[in-house]
Amino acid sequence: MTESEFLVLAETCLRQVEELFERAFENDEYDVECSRSGNVLTVEFVDNGSKIIVNSQAPMQEMWLAARSGGFHYKYDGQHWLNTRDGSELFATLSRVAQEQGR
């Protein structure tokens, strides 16, 4: 994949994550605030101050997720962003860590 192709995919992914949390906020699932600075999206849980950070790493063509439970790296397989260690999918992991941190 070219760098420009990766950048388009990464931007789409970051937008999807941000929209996911904005919908969760609107539906009273989570009290979160999203902020974006370039390729870094920060989701802060208002009640407890914890954060989830999602960012793109163009040199490695990966998406990185940082949460209380740890840091995770994802590569695009043509359809999904998959964890480079255990093969789990980015949005599944994101859902799990959001539930853990949103308590």
Side-chain angles (χ1 to χ4, degrees), residues 44-59:
E44 182 174 356
F45 291 81
V46 175
D47 294 341
N48 61 26
S50 70
K51 295 178 182 177
I52 293 175
I53 299 170
V54 181
N55 67 298
S56 63
Q57 292 292 321

Side-chain angles (χ1 to χ4, degrees), residues 21 30 45 52 93-103:
F21 279 103
Y30 299 114
F45 291 81
I52 293 175
T93 303
L94 194 58
S95 176
R96 179 181 55 80
V97 298
Q99 288 176 359
E100 292 170 359
Q101 288 186 218
R103 294 183 187 149

Side-chain angles (χ1 to χ4, degrees), residues 52-87:
I52 293 175
I53 299 170
V54 181
N55 67 298
S56 63
Q57 292 292 321
M60 290 172 264
Q61 295 194 343
E62 293 180 350
M63 296 300 293
W64 288 7
L65 167 63
R68 275 186 187 164
S69 58
F72 309 92
H73 298 185
Y74 297 85
K75 281 214 174 269
Y76 195 68
D77 76 344
Q79 292 185 318
H80 305 284
W81 291 98
L82 300 178
N83 188 305
T84 59
R85 291 190 181 165
D86 67 10

